[in-house]
Amino acid sequence: MRKTAAHLVWDWNGTLFHDTDAVIAATNSAFAEIGLPPLTLERYRELYCVPVPLFYERLMGRRPTEAEWLLMDAAFQRHYTTHRAGCGLAEGAETLLETWQEAGRSQSILSMFGHDELIPLVRGLGIAPRFVRVEGRTGPSGGSKSAHMVRHLAALEGVDPARTVVIGDAADDAVAARDAGAHAVLYTGGSHSRGALAATGAPVVDSLAEAVQVAEELAA
């Protein structure tokens, strides 16, 4: 029986799309609207988690009300849209995507960024043909990726979760991969501290090139 080829599921924000500075700027702009002090990148990475309301609980000392969460989320999304205009692909990402595809292997994107915004962004960067599927969030924001990952892999024809590697920048990427029966490699260039990523038990890397190298070993 022919062995299925390895498959990569890429996260978008903080992984393929280098928008960490935009996320911090948008977070602090949103915080200013509700009277919270600004965060440094280091502090953000120490505290960030999903579901995102828990992140705000860590900052505020209490769980935000539904009205507060909706206000903060809307403020963040508004400011993020402004700040992301100056962002692009992570260093070396375009070459890595091309090389993986030209080797006859498949890859996809699964993001918790809104689907209707993700699709034109990926197309605009000229990389859409590299993927067999590009999928963003269609429900409320702020939740876990696990259920989305299970559905995402189930929709991919000829992809074996056991030979699939999720490359992301958040602890939740490792949780989602585990729940879907896949592997994970976590990248330090995004939303989490190295310690938070390492605590998942998944391999932690400092570049996307290294992430792909480790993914090849995991999916062998």
Side-chain angles (χ1 to χ4, degrees), residues 5 25 30 53 61 73-74 92 103-106 117 125 127 135 141 147 175 179 182 191:
D73 185 50
R105 296 171 293 195
S106 62
E117 292 182 273
L125 289 166
I127 56 172
E135 191 172 6
S141 64
V175 174
D179 290 348
S191 60

Side-chain angles (χ1 to χ4, degrees), residues 52-172:
V52 179
L54 181 57
F55 169 52
Y56 287 110
E57 181 178 347
R58 292 178 172 185
L59 291 164
M60 300 169 68
R62 62 174 177 81
R63 195 72 169 232
T65 65
E66 181 69 15
E68 286 173 329
W69 158 244
L70 292 173
L71 175 67
M72 289 186 286
D73 185 50
F76 171 82
Q77 301 296 345
R78 186 173 69 253
H79 289 294
Y80 174 76
T81 299
T82 300
H83 288 292
R84 81 164 191 231
C87 300
L89 293 174
E91 183 179 355
E94 198 161 357
T95 299
L96 291 169
L97 296 174
E98 179 183 7
T99 302
W100 186 268
Q101 183 187 39
E102 289 185 348
R105 296 171 293 195
S106 62
Q107 56 197 333
S108 59
I109 293 174
L110 177 62
S111 174
M112 297 304 283
F113 187 48
H115 184 78
D116 291 342
E117 292 182 273
L118 176 66
I119 296 299
L121 192 51
V122 172
R123 287 176 179 160
L125 289 166
I127 56 172
R130 303 292 180 201
F131 305 101
V132 295
R133 189 177 183 88
V134 177
E135 191 172 6
R137 171 186 49 78
T138 54
S141 64
S144 172
K145 190 181 272 187
S146 284
H148 300 273
M149 185 67 71
V150 171
R151 289 195 298 268
H152 182 79
L153 293 186
L156 296 173
E157 187 176 347
V159 169
D160 178 3
R163 297 208 68 217
T164 295
V165 182
V166 177
I167 299 178
D169 69 312
D172 189 53

Side-chain angles (χ1 to χ4, degrees), residues 176-188:
R178 181 196 66 206
D179 290 348
H183 305 277
V185 179
L186 300 179
Y187 165 59
T188 59

